[in-house]
Amino acid sequence: DRGKLGELASKIIQIVSQPYALDDKHATIGTSVGIAISPYDGIEKHDLVHNSDLALYAAKNGGRGQFRFYSADLKDEAEERRILEEGLRDALANELLELHYQPVVRTEDNMVVTFEALIRWEHPERGTIGPDVFIPIAEESDLINELGAWALNRACQDAMAWPKSVRVAVNVSAAQFAHSDLIAIVTGALETSGLDADRLELELTESVFMGDGETIDDIFRGLKDIGVRLALDDFGTGYSSLTYLRSAPFDKI
């Protein structure tokens, strides 16, 4: 019964999403649910698992904390995602991506102090594909680290042509932040370009704190040892907590 399954899914989401007490802190863990029903959505175990996974992806893509039933049009979405992933791999391999720069202006004297690097993908057939489309695809595959490394290297190289008083800011996703190669990638981008470390600003969101606490602290320490600046982006829109501000070495919010 789809109605009962929907009620069960809502109950699971509600129960799992309740805050957990961990020592003197609280942790919130969200969940999403995808549902496929036999025999309508498949007879074999493989088909049911595959189709429920497509429904789960649709639930997460719809904003998380939701449930979705499988429907035939999700197969088209999955195929579209696969095509875009292949296109993104090709764009990375053939230098088809661009960095556009958004200025950060100091209101006191109207001077540009930073340029924020924004990745843009101009597809030869589809035109402009927004980062809201291709960044999630990169994060769900192994492409996010390659994409992030490309952006860091290109941004540092471009910044060398600017006045030394102007910094460059590069977004680092939670998936990229947690990767073991991040410190080496940042160090390599600075050494290859010759950019001073304090002219590079890494923009992070609160989602980076959802990983292992000890690992996160080690990464923060490593980045500050290099000398780069750290900015907390979009504070107040995610897992807002003043505790993060006490424990993490941010230079800017």
Side-chain angles (χ1 to χ4, degrees), residues 93-106:
N94 295 290
E95 291 288 322
L96 300 178
L97 298 171
E98 298 177 348
L99 283 186
H100 291 196
Y101 292 98
Q102 177 173 280
V104 178
V105 179
R106 187 169 56 212

Side-chain angles (χ1 to χ4, degrees), residues 7-72:
E7 290 175 10
L8 178 60
S10 294
K11 194 172 183 180
I12 290 171
I13 292 168
Q14 183 182 5
I15 291 171
V16 174
S17 300
Q18 294 298 312
Y20 295 84
L22 296 174
D23 296 327
D24 58 340
K25 299 178 182 178
H26 288 279
T28 302
I29 303 172
T31 188
S32 305
V33 180
I35 306 169
I37 305 170
S38 180
Y40 316 104
D41 303 328
I43 302 295
E44 300 297 329
K45 180 171 66 175
H46 169 79
D47 294 331
L48 283 169
V49 170
H50 176 72
N51 290 342
S52 63
D53 191 47
L54 290 179
L56 176 61
Y57 177 84
K60 290 195 286 189
N61 202 38
R64 302 181 182 272
Q66 302 179 11
F67 67 88
R68 280 285 299 270
F69 286 93
Y70 170 79
S71 60

